[in-house]
Amino acid sequence: MTRTNTDTPGLLMIDMPMPILTPRLIIRPAMPGDGADIHAAKVETWDDLSVWMPWAKAIGTAEETESSCREAWGRFLLREDFRMVAIDRATHEFAAMTGLHRFDAAVRRMEIGYWTRKACQGRGIATEMTIALAHYAFRALSARAVAICHASGNDASRRVIERAGFHYEGCLRNATALPDGSVQDQLWYSFTDPADVPPLDVRWGTEP
């Protein structure tokens, strides 16, 4: 039988203080009503997403994206997965998708995922976002390990991970299938000590 996070006694009682605030971003759960903005960003960024994101095989519709947001909100409430959006504090526009995924409650290990809309790329948004989530994982969720990976050849993602200071862990050979059907290696990185996470003005659980 497959274990889920809800098999762990008390997991539903874990406090998830939101939103997460950084100097430029408001990071909060994806929820009902976010679908239209996320879909518009997907369309804008599809040339990148359809190369590197395993899920980006079909762009779908705004209604399907909205349905996915509602599912994500339910999974967040059940503590099964923590999909989040990043909103630009200056413009109040959607900037990026992110989240903490594959949360192993027994080990307290989780993985950061992200993509940044094309209009917000090249501004350090992804780096700021991943550093913020690493701080949140350690300090709010008592993580023991925070992991992140990229597919072989995705140099833009590699640069984000390196700028954020993650430690290289190793390579999983032939571990991910890209939208074009090719199978690539995964390069893995992590933090296991909160003292290694670069400093950032980040807080959570308060209004912007």
Side-chain angles (χ1 to χ4, degrees):
M1 181 171 63
T2 302
R3 280 184 66 86
T4 66
N5 280 337
T6 51
D7 294 324
T8 304
L11 190 64
L12 288 174
M13 299 302 292
I14 290 178
D15 191 21
M16 296 281 294
M18 287 284 160
I20 304 168
L21 303 177
T22 76
R24 294 183 292 172
L25 301 171
I26 302 168
I27 304 170
R28 60 162 177 79
M31 60 182 60
D34 286 331
D37 288 342
I38 294 173
H39 187 74
K42 280 171 59 180
V43 171
E44 174 188 311
T45 317
W46 193 248
D47 286 350
D48 293 335
L49 299 177
S50 61
V51 173
W52 296 113
M53 296 294 167
W55 52 264
K57 297 175 182 177
I59 198 165
T61 66
E63 289 77 14
E64 288 170 334
T65 304
E66 174 63 21
S67 177
S68 177
C69 287
R70 296 181 183 208
E71 178 185 1
W73 176 235
R75 296 189 71 193
F76 184 92
L77 293 176
L78 290 172
R79 302 301 190 247
E80 293 177 347
D81 188 62
F82 310 131
R83 195 188 313 177
M84 304 178 200
V85 298
I87 307 299
D88 188 305
R89 293 182 69 171
T91 65
H92 304 288
E93 294 180 347
F94 172 87
M97 286 295 299
T98 189
L100 294 166
H101 308 298
R102 287 167 284 280
F103 178 30
D104 187 320
V107 177
R108 301 299 265 207
R109 179 187 185 275
M110 54 205 77
E111 299 170 16
I112 295 175
Y114 70 90
W115 60 268
T116 305
R117 73 180 304 168
K118 188 171 287 291
C120 295
Q121 292 175 6
R123 296 167 44 197
I125 292 292
T127 303
E128 183 172 319
M129 190 166 60
T130 55
I131 291 172
L133 283 183
H135 280 293
Y136 183 82
F138 282 120
R139 293 160 53 193
L141 301 179
S142 302
R144 292 189 178 95
V146 183
I148 194 167
C149 73
H150 69 83
S152 177
N154 189 347
D155 291 334
S157 193
R158 174 183 55 79
R159 287 191 292 269
V160 168
I161 293 168
E162 290 176 349
R163 283 195 296 266
F166 285 84
H167 305 304
Y168 179 67
E169 296 285 358
C171 175
L172 286 179
R173 301 294 184 186
N174 298 325
T176 188
L178 299 182
D180 67 359
S182 65
V183 175
Q184 300 293 334
D185 299 341
Q186 281 182 337
L187 289 304
W188 281 92
Y189 306 74
S190 73
F191 286 124
T192 56
D193 185 341
D196 292 339
V197 184
L200 180 71
D201 179 13
V202 56
R203 63 187 190 279
W204 41 82
T206 61
E207 292 300 315

